[in-house]
Amino acid sequence: MHLAYPAVLAVLLFCVGLYGVLARRNTILVLMAVELMLNAVNLNLVAFDVWLRDALHSGEALTLFTIAIAAAEIGIGLAIVLAVYRNRGSSDIDRLRDTAETDDAESLPDGDADVDADSARGTNADQATAPAGKAKKAEAAA
């Protein structure tokens, strides 16, 4: 058997998995696409092991480690997805961006000195940072 057949199949599997990671919005489907990419790597490892006729079968041994890592990754990934779904009610990847920490120090005054300085200038601290906050929300939405 030629090496080209499994190599082309592995490339196709990896490309389908890469498309799934980049285009999907559902977290479970993204995890499935990552598994598809790992299986493409496993196929390459076994194909090159057979093609090189390695006496130690190191390609097959690395494949076993990759399968173990993939199983652990899916277990932990599903646990995280379930925890997020319980807290948020959705596992949509776009909504997970809302969990990022924002810099609250910009919109809240730190003490009386800041409030007094703002009132002396005739502005409010919240009004001064409102355009910056709207710009950040617009960037997050885009």
Side-chain angles (χ1 to χ4, degrees):
M1 180 169 86
H2 296 285
L3 181 63
Y5 298 132
V8 168
L9 180 62
V11 166
L12 290 175
L13 282 175
F14 193 85
C15 288
V16 169
L18 185 64
Y19 173 76
V21 167
L22 295 176
R24 297 294 177 186
R25 299 288 182 231
N26 189 349
T27 313
I28 302 295
L29 292 177
V30 170
L31 287 174
M32 289 173 56
V34 169
E35 281 295 316
L36 199 60
M37 292 166 63
L38 286 172
N39 285 331
V41 171
N42 288 340
L43 181 62
N44 264 334
L45 285 171
V46 171
F48 276 96
D49 183 53
V50 169
W51 184 65
L52 293 174
R53 293 187 172 95
D54 187 16
L56 297 175
H57 299 290
S58 56
E60 293 175 9
L62 284 174
T63 300
L64 290 176
F65 285 117
T66 308
I67 290 171
I69 289 170
E73 175 253 334
I74 283 297
I76 292 171
L78 284 175
I80 291 171
V81 168
L82 286 175
V84 167
Y85 182 77
R86 285 183 186 161
N87 289 335
R88 297 242 171 207
S90 174
S91 64
D92 190 20
I93 290 177
D94 289 334
R95 291 190 182 180
L96 290 179
R97 291 183 191 167
D98 295 339
T99 61
E101 292 182 19
T102 58
D103 191 12
D104 293 335
E106 290 180 7
S107 62
L108 296 175
D110 289 334
D112 293 337
D114 291 335
V115 174
D116 291 337
D118 289 333
S119 63
R121 286 184 292 180
T123 61
N124 189 355
D126 291 334
Q127 292 173 351
T129 59
K134 288 180 184 176
K136 285 184 180 179
K137 287 182 183 178
E139 287 179 275

